[in-house]
Amino acid sequence: MKNVATYALLATSLAFVGCSTYVGVDNPDNSSSLYSNATGKLTTRYKAEPEAVFNAVKRAIDSNTDTMKRMGETDHRGDATGKPFDTTVFARAIGDIEIKVNITKVENKEKNESYTEVTVLYGFFGNCEQSQQLVSKITANLRR
């Protein structure tokens, strides 16, 4: 009986960790974004410049002062990643839930295109619905 419970727990954890789901977001550049159940992160792409997306993220968080507050930003361009733009915006929601929004410029040399990738982690384990709502607000604040 001990082995059955162990194998059932192992199978459940492997199934949970390996799941990634495409979810709909309000983003004209990438309407189907990837949500990873293993990491709790929602990833979407914008064809806009990273600085414009960064400002849209700050405006989206600052416009929700009743539910969340922006705590600061960290610029990762000085470390060994070598990425041209890599910044994380930190915020806190009601209940002291940490929100991390990472903005990275990605250049695909094979397709000769560049885009800005936004990754949202809402809480420690992630929250797909809240992440989708935040992406929707970022898109609304992105002036085109």
Side-chain angles (χ1 to χ4, degrees):
M1 185 64 179
K2 239 195 301 189
N3 289 336
V4 172
T6 303
Y7 288 125
L9 182 62
L10 178 64
T12 304
S13 65
L14 287 176
F16 176 73
V17 169
C19 292
S20 292
T21 307
Y22 284 100
V23 295
V25 292
D26 186 19
N27 178 357
D29 297 336
N30 185 17
S31 61
S32 178
S33 298
L34 185 67
Y35 180 76
S36 173
N37 288 326
T39 61
K41 294 179 181 179
L42 176 70
T43 304
T44 190
R45 297 178 178 176
Y46 292 99
K47 292 181 181 175
E49 289 298 314
E51 290 83 6
V53 176
F54 174 67
N55 290 329
V57 168
K58 291 194 308 185
R59 281 192 300 272
I61 293 172
D62 290 343
S63 67
N64 292 323
T65 56
D66 55 335
T67 58
M68 66 180 74
K69 181 164 178 66
R70 184 165 45 103
M71 305 307 288
E73 303 92 24
T74 302
D75 189 1
H76 302 288
R77 288 181 281 187
D79 62 10
T81 59
K83 295 181 182 176
F85 190 95
D86 189 12
T87 302
T88 303
V89 178
F90 297 96
R92 291 281 179 178
I94 293 175
D96 201 30
I97 298 171
E98 183 179 37
I99 303 165
K100 293 181 186 176
V101 182
N102 192 36
I103 304 136
T104 307
K105 182 175 183 176
V106 179
E107 296 178 1
N108 188 343
K109 294 183 181 183
E110 293 175 0
K111 295 183 180 178
N112 197 19
E113 66 180 9
S114 65
Y115 54 87
T116 303
E117 184 176 84
V118 175
T119 305
V120 178
L121 177 61
Y122 198 100
F124 184 74
F125 295 110
N127 186 326
C128 184
E129 181 182 354
Q130 295 294 331
S131 297
Q132 284 175 298
Q133 290 176 4
L134 186 56
V135 167
S136 177
K137 290 173 186 170
I138 292 168
T139 303
N141 283 304
L142 189 60
R143 297 185 181 131
R144 296 184 182 253

